Amino acid sequence: MSRAYLNGFRRPAMALGLVAAFGAVLGACASPEQRRQANLYQDGATCADFGARPGTAAYTECMLTQQTRRDNKQRNSLEQTALTTQIARDSQEMSRKVQCDRDAKKDREAGLRPRRCD
């Protein structure tokens, strides 16, 4: 690799790192419109780093790919949250059922009418 190539590679990588950091900072306290603008800026920088120039079919395809990636990441995060919530609910229900079964067994052993566990 030539030195010129390495220097040319460092700048886009450093710019991408700065854009990612900028996006993370904005994402923490930005309005939806500000996040959208930051995402567009970050996607544009990513596509430019890949060599796609604005106005070309390659750039448009790259921008669509970046948006799809972001949408998939958000959908996966929402699905994971829903799954985690359902697991927590199931765990609570199972714990409640086990406790009720224990209490019903104690009632039977004490000669009382056992509780009904649904």
Side-chain angles (χ1 to χ4, degrees), residues 39-49 52 59 63 66:
N39 290 341
L40 284 174
Y41 180 77
Q42 184 178 8
D43 292 349
T46 299
C47 292
D49 287 346
Y59 184 81
M63 291 294 282
Q66 296 304 311

Side-chain angles (χ1 to χ4, degrees), residues 17-29:
L18 289 173
V19 167
F22 178 70
V25 169
L26 280 182
C29 60

Side-chain angles (χ1 to χ4, degrees), residues 3-117:
R3 185 105 171 115
Y5 180 77
L6 288 175
N7 286 337
F9 181 72
R10 282 188 201 149
R11 281 192 199 129
M14 198 179 334
L16 183 59
L18 289 173
V19 167
F22 178 70
V25 169
L26 280 182
C29 60
S31 71
E33 180 59 27
Q34 289 170 327
R35 277 192 301 263
R36 189 179 79 74
Q37 288 296 324
N39 290 341
L40 284 174
Y41 180 77
Q42 184 178 8
D43 292 349
T46 299
C47 292
D49 287 346
F50 290 152
R53 299 286 175 240
T56 64
Y59 184 81
T60 301
E61 183 66 30
C62 179
M63 291 294 282
L64 288 172
T65 301
Q66 296 304 311
Q67 183 60 47
T68 300
R69 177 191 52 81
R70 189 181 325 286
D71 291 346
N72 288 341
K73 184 178 178 182
Q74 183 178 19
R75 186 189 72 240
N76 290 342
S77 176
L78 290 172
E79 288 174 353
Q80 184 65 39
T81 299
L83 181 62
T84 301
T85 301
Q86 187 60 47
I87 289 170
R89 283 184 192 139
D90 292 348
S91 178
Q92 287 176 337
E93 180 61 26
M94 186 185 315
S95 178
R96 187 199 63 77
K97 176 86 167 102
V98 167
Q99 184 62 45
C100 186
D101 288 343
R102 284 184 192 147
D103 292 343
K105 182 179 177 184
K106 287 179 185 176
D107 289 347
R108 278 191 299 276
E109 289 171 351
L112 302 172
R113 183 175 175 193
R115 300 169 194 213
R116 184 179 165 134
C117 300

